[in-house]
Amino acid sequence: MRTTPLLALAVGLLGGSLAACSDDSGTGGSGSAAAAGGPIAVKASDTACEVARNTTAAGTSVFSVTNGGNKVTEFYVYAAGDRVMGEVENIAPGLSRELHVELPAGSYETACKPGMIGKGIRAAFTVSGSAAPLTADAKLADATASYSRYVKSQTAALLPKTEEFVAAVKAGDVAKAKALFPVARTYWERIEPVAEIFGDLDPKIDGREEVIEEGMPFTGFHRIEKDLWAAKPDISKDGPIADQLLADVKEIVAKANAEKLSPLQLANGAKELLDEVATGKITGEEDRYSHTDLWDFNANLEGSKAAIASLRPVLEERDPALVKTLDTEFANVDAALSVHRAGDGWKLHTQLSKADLKTLSDAINALAEPVSQVAAVVSKK
Amino acid sequence: MNERSVSRRRAIALAGVGVAGIAGAAAVGGALARGAARDEGGSAVEGAIAFTGAHQAGIVTPAQDRLHFVAFDVITKDRERLVRMLKDWTAAAARMTAGRDAGEIGAVNGMPEAPPDDTGEALGLPPSGLTLTVGFGPTLFRDAGGRDRFGIAAKRPAALADLPHFPGDVLDAALSGGDLCVQACANDPQVAVHAVRNLARIGMGVVSVRWSQLGFGRTSSTSRTQATPRNLFGFKDGTANLKAEEADLIEEHVWARPGDGPEWMTGGSYLVTRKIRMIIETWDRSPLSEQEAIVGRHKGTGAPLGKADEFEEPDVPSLPETSHVRLVHPDSNNGARMLRRGYNYVDGSDGLGRLDAGLFFMAYQRDPRKQFVPVQLNMSRRDDMNEYLKPVSLGLFACPPGVSGPDDYWGKTLFA
């Protein structure tokens, strides 16, 4: 009774959505979904994540996720170190979505994320059977492909969230704009090193007042932030700035998705995100008006983790000790940061004591040191 | 030629300074019993002080001109990680004191994609008499909650007892204490800063810098070969300090002996640090005669009041009762003496236009309970100089014996 209607629904959807979802999994060979044993139904609710099977055969698997809960959800398949093998986001209540993902033999975790936050409801998932052995170079290629998927998933959320934020600003809705500000920035901050490749756009979108050159207007997120958090908030003149922000974000999203990144850029990006935390977030400089720096902090951390996770198979082959250190230190930063959770978000920077900030700073430094070694491991022949 | 073998020292040799065996440059007098450092080839390195020995360098070593002192908190709970870091520190310290890079690869010879294992700001600079001296604070043994952090609480020496409150002290906790300390002394400030910076980098994730202090112009002489320097009050300081050449006195007052406490400290010494701000502007407005009466010495010659020569013994009973020299003299303290090794400091100005400056006091001794504590209590209760002093920081550290060779490391006697 429990799975039958779901399966039927999933099968019904299969024909229509296979083509649309095949872009990320095209290398797996056609028809392998059947070889892997057919679609795997996932029944998601606000409190549960029932995956119909916890094993499958190597090849392309199809997960059919139905959201029976009241919150928007996401579904992930993670490899070790929370490396995203595949995900579907923004599954609204009542809807079903499919995930096609190529999985070599190994141990994975599935996760539903009701409300799209936190670590999600996890379960072990095993893939068995033989997969063609990959050469080292293929692993690096996989790493960049994996990270490209991540960038795409983030930009896919960055755009609608920025649109919502811009709409709130243009509607003069200060409260709503304030609430959306750190949320929209989350997706931006996760992929900031990619955004920084497009030099002139980054300061337009995310520049702070002091970095603006003579004659250049102060625009972007932080300009609106300043107006939103002023003693007497006034965003009545921010319409054109909000429009410009959205146009700039659209441009950078298009460019970011077209960009082919090198494994070295992943490694350095992971380090740069932590440097961002160490220089701008710990000090509260970045979000000096809203003090929502911990949202950015966490997003930077997640972005760094995603880049390292993409490189994980390469690192495990070449320097397993480093992987162990990275796992430990990422966990330490997570633990130090999680103390400052407040509801679905984070405490304000101004609510943290000097000792709190020192603890966070120490944890970031301890992580950034081994992360700074990753580039050399990646470039080793 | 292997590029990686170009050490900082070799780079200097190539630059034409030469490394002829001038053993005397560092080893001042036989009583010091420390030779110049030697490189792998066995030739002495000019301006380098030997890192290995029965005692740590940087204690009776003739005081260098510059200081970078740093106190660390240990932030790991993992004893193995702490020990590994102490080993890494020891290896880096051995290299840096010999004038070489902090890491085996160096500042500029590694992979372009990797951060260098030396930070590079000492490239081309000679060893500059660099010494690195490590100490362990009481909180390394038990934290504030009484927890035995690394299974060494039973090894805490009784002499590493918490210091009492000294009247007049307004201590800043953020500038006081620490689980570990490193004293870097050198004749070039850049060399001392380089050493501390690299140790802090190596220690990330294991230790976190709690506070640090730069110092200049040694305020004591620790060897008869040195002229007595002046502190920021303009007075000669350290005239009656213990001197390296006074072997018997050093044995009696500086080094922990067998039976003094736990065996791991034998050959070590206890370090007390104090940052003492001097109220410079009001001192400068006080008459010369008053300044001299407060100190108990003549400002020009440094001679005790009523005497003509700096090194004449003061006639203690004739000195003003609340004069500094009288209160801290061994005769007033059951013969207690210390090896002082302080430095002047200036941290810029304080926003009110006043010099933010004073003395970073450091004193090595066999047992602070019998040496620093009674002398300091005597001074802080009665010394007229207190009107011009504001102690803001206090630290106590057990400095283990020296590193014996390549298989030894800082703290091996404690952790092995």
Side-chain angles (χ1 to χ4, degrees):
Chain A
M1 179 65 203
R2 202 184 60 186
T3 54
T4 319
L6 272 174
L7 268 174
L9 182 60
V11 170
L13 284 167
L14 248 180
S17 51
L18 252 178
C21 294
S22 62
D23 57 328
D24 284 343
S25 52
T27 52
S30 61
S32 53
I40 299 161
V42 179
K43 187 180 173 189
S45 72
D46 293 349
T47 53
C49 185
E50 293 169 14
V51 181
R53 290 205 312 271
N54 60 9
T55 60
T56 193
T60 299
S61 294
V62 180
F63 292 87
S64 178
V65 188
T66 303
N67 185 4
N70 295 313
K71 292 180 180 171
V72 177
T73 196
E74 299 171 316
F75 179 75
Y76 285 80
V77 178
Y78 289 112
D82 280 1
R83 181 160 61 102
V84 177
M85 300 302 291
E87 53 151 346
V88 275
E89 288 199 318
N90 277 312
I91 311 171
L95 285 190
S96 289
R97 296 271 301 276
E98 283 195 349
L99 170 65
H100 292 240
V101 55
E102 195 199 352
L103 299 174
S107 298
Y108 300 90
E109 277 186 332
T110 53
C112 300
K113 290 191 188 179
M116 310 215 293
I117 56 159
K119 282 179 67 71
I121 303 160
R122 304 268 183 135
F125 192 81
T126 309
V127 176
S128 53
S130 61
L134 298 166
T135 65
D137 280 348
K139 277 189 180 162
L140 283 177
D142 281 355
T144 55
S146 157
Y147 188 70
S148 293
R149 284 198 293 275
Y150 179 76
V151 171
K152 255 183 201 153
S153 74
Q154 296 310 308
T155 55
L158 172 63
L159 257 187
K161 281 295 162 198
T162 306
E163 274 164 1
E164 282 179 51
F165 174 66
V166 162
V169 170
K170 292 178 76 177
D173 190 339
V174 169
K176 193 172 179 192
K178 277 183 164 183
L180 283 166
F181 172 78
V183 179
R185 291 183 54 74
T186 293
Y187 301 98
W188 168 264
E189 291 284 336
R190 281 185 187 145
I191 55 167
E192 202 169 353
V194 181
E196 281 169 355
I197 294 170
F198 314 105
D200 53 333
L201 279 167
D202 181 40
K204 280 175 82 181
I205 296 170
D206 198 36
R208 287 170 245 165
E209 198 163 8
E210 74 276 11
V211 305
I212 304 303
E213 270 179 57
E214 194 72 41
M216 194 178 148
F218 176 32
T219 62
F221 277 119
H222 294 302
R223 166 61 197 272
I224 299 172
E225 178 197 8
K226 186 179 182 181
D227 296 335
L228 278 172
W229 271 272
K232 279 194 176 153
D234 180 10
I235 50 173
S236 60
K237 295 181 193 72
D238 285 354
I241 293 166
D243 284 337
Q244 186 60 49
L245 172 65
L246 184 57
D248 291 338
V249 165
K250 275 182 178 159
E251 191 181 344
I252 217 162
V253 161
K255 285 185 169 178
N257 288 335
E259 185 73 10
K260 248 190 121 37
L261 295 168
S262 78
L264 213 51
Q265 279 174 309
L266 264 61
N268 287 325
K271 186 192 80 76
E272 283 159 20
L273 281 162
L274 300 177
D275 292 346
E276 280 267 331
V277 174
T279 53
K281 274 73 178 191
I282 289 282
T283 55
E285 282 169 70
E286 172 96 31
D287 299 317
R288 66 188 62 160
Y289 311 108
S290 63
H291 308 300
T292 54
D293 301 272
L294 287 199
W295 270 265
D296 291 12
F297 184 131
N298 187 52
N300 286 156
L301 183 64
E302 287 174 335
S304 179
K305 208 186 284 178
I308 295 296
S310 295
L311 291 165
R312 190 181 183 96
V314 183
L315 298 177
E316 283 200 321
E317 189 173 84
R318 300 183 183 181
D319 195 343
L322 181 60
V323 175
K324 241 183 114 188
T325 305
L326 291 169
D327 285 349
T328 307
E329 299 299 350
F330 268 117
N332 281 345
V333 181
D334 277 339
L337 186 59
S338 66
V339 175
H340 304 297
R341 270 248 174 234
D344 286 352
W346 301 91
K347 281 186 200 160
L348 298 181
H349 186 273
T350 44
Q351 292 174 294
L352 268 57
S353 71
K354 223 175 154 185
D356 291 335
L357 294 170
K358 175 103 187 300
T359 301
L360 289 173
S361 174
D362 286 344
I364 282 292
N365 281 333
L367 170 61
E369 276 292 312
V371 167
S372 77
Q373 308 297 330
V374 170
V377 177
V378 165
S379 58
K380 241 186 249 166
K381 288 291 179 298
Chain B
M1 180 180 160
N2 178 3
E3 274 194 339
R4 290 185 180 187
S5 70
V6 178
S7 68
R8 208 175 95 201
R9 181 196 55 73
R10 291 270 297 272
I12 298 153
L14 293 170
V17 175
V19 286
I22 310 170
V28 186
L32 298 183
R34 294 191 79 92
R38 291 173 185 277
D39 69 7
E40 303 96 307
S43 55
V45 182
E46 184 181 4
I49 292 168
F51 179 67
T52 53
H55 309 294
Q56 288 196 70
I59 299 175
V60 296
T61 307
Q64 302 91 323
D65 193 55
R66 303 291 179 140
L67 168 78
H68 190 181
F69 187 91
V70 59
F72 295 93
D73 291 325
V74 176
I75 56 173
T76 185
K77 289 179 180 143
D78 184 344
R79 178 184 161 124
E80 283 313 304
R81 269 189 90 179
L82 174 60
V83 169
R84 209 181 319 135
M85 185 206 72
L86 287 169
K87 288 177 182 170
D88 292 345
W89 269 11
T90 307
R95 280 192 289 265
M96 290 192 288
T97 52
R100 299 168 60 211
D101 286 313
E104 280 167 12
I105 296 166
V108 292
N109 296 314
M111 295 175 71
E113 294 84 4
D117 67 6
D118 180 277
T119 52
E121 74 273 28
L123 276 177
L125 296 177
S128 309
L130 174 70
T131 54
L132 292 165
T133 314
V134 77
F136 304 129
T139 47
L140 186 71
F141 297 83
R142 274 190 201 282
D143 65 15
R147 207 161 34 90
D148 182 359
R149 302 173 65 188
F150 300 105
I152 53 173
K155 292 184 172 178
R156 176 173 165 175
L160 198 67
D162 292 329
L163 296 170
H165 170 73
F166 298 109
D169 279 14
V170 182
L171 301 180
D172 180 347
L175 289 180
S176 298
D179 298 330
L180 291 177
C181 75
V182 175
Q183 169 198 283
C185 296
N187 292 314
D188 182 329
Q190 183 123 338
V191 169
V193 168
H194 167 262
V196 166
R197 172 173 164 191
N198 280 275
L199 294 180
R201 181 180 56 81
I202 291 167
M204 273 184 185
V206 182
V207 292
S208 165
V209 172
R210 182 178 173 88
W211 55 273
S212 72
Q213 185 64 53
L214 290 173
F216 65 93
R218 60 185 170 81
T219 57
S220 310
S221 43
T222 56
S223 163
R224 286 191 186 130
T225 61
Q226 298 182 305
T228 312
R230 290 180 187 271
N231 61 27
L232 293 182
F233 282 159
F235 278 77
K236 290 199 172 196
D237 202 344
T239 298
N241 198 20
L242 287 174
K243 301 288 196 289
E245 294 85 353
E246 299 170 320
D248 293 347
L249 291 175
I250 294 287
E251 282 301 321
E252 182 182 345
H253 295 290
V254 177
W255 305 124
R257 292 185 186 177
D260 277 359
E263 190 50 34
W264 70 268
M265 264 300 284
T266 297
S269 188
Y270 296 90
L271 168 65
V272 173
T273 65
R274 266 167 93 65
K275 182 174 183 173
I276 305 164
R277 182 164 176 190
M278 292 173 163
I279 315 301
I280 301 279
E281 289 75 9
T282 51
W283 174 265
D284 292 346
R285 287 195 283 268
S286 55
L288 178 61
S289 59
E290 191 185 319
Q291 293 183 4
E292 292 186 332
I294 288 170
V295 174
R297 288 186 183 276
H298 293 292
K299 199 168 185 177
T301 59
L305 289 184
K307 306 279 171 139
D309 179 73
E310 182 195 342
F311 292 100
E312 275 185 84
E313 258 304 301
D315 179 17
V316 173
S318 77
L319 293 172
E321 268 186 35
T322 51
S323 71
H324 184 68
V325 166
R326 177 164 174 167
L327 287 168
V328 302
H329 194 273
D331 289 358
S332 310
N333 295 285
N334 286 323
R337 303 190 68 177
M338 293 172 269
L339 179 82
R340 281 177 294 142
R341 222 178 188 283
Y343 285 83
N344 297 321
Y345 78 85
V346 173
D347 294 348
S349 304
D350 69 356
L352 296 174
R354 306 179 303 181
L355 210 54
D356 188 353
L359 169 68
F360 188 71
F361 170 96
M362 295 191 288
Y364 286 92
Q365 58 223 287
R366 192 172 150 195
D367 188 340
R369 295 169 300 175
K370 296 175 185 157
Q371 293 165 276
F372 175 75
V373 171
V375 175
Q376 182 59 41
L377 278 173
N378 211 11
M379 184 190 154
S380 58
R381 282 176 186 142
R382 300 164 66 198
D383 196 331
D384 281 341
M385 197 184 278
N386 291 332
E387 191 181 333
Y388 302 95
L389 301 179
K390 216 173 139 185
V392 294
S393 151
L394 183 61
L396 172 63
F397 302 93
C399 303
V403 170
S404 60
D407 296 333
D408 197 4
Y409 62 90
W410 274 336
K412 188 178 182 184
T413 56
L414 173 60
F415 285 100

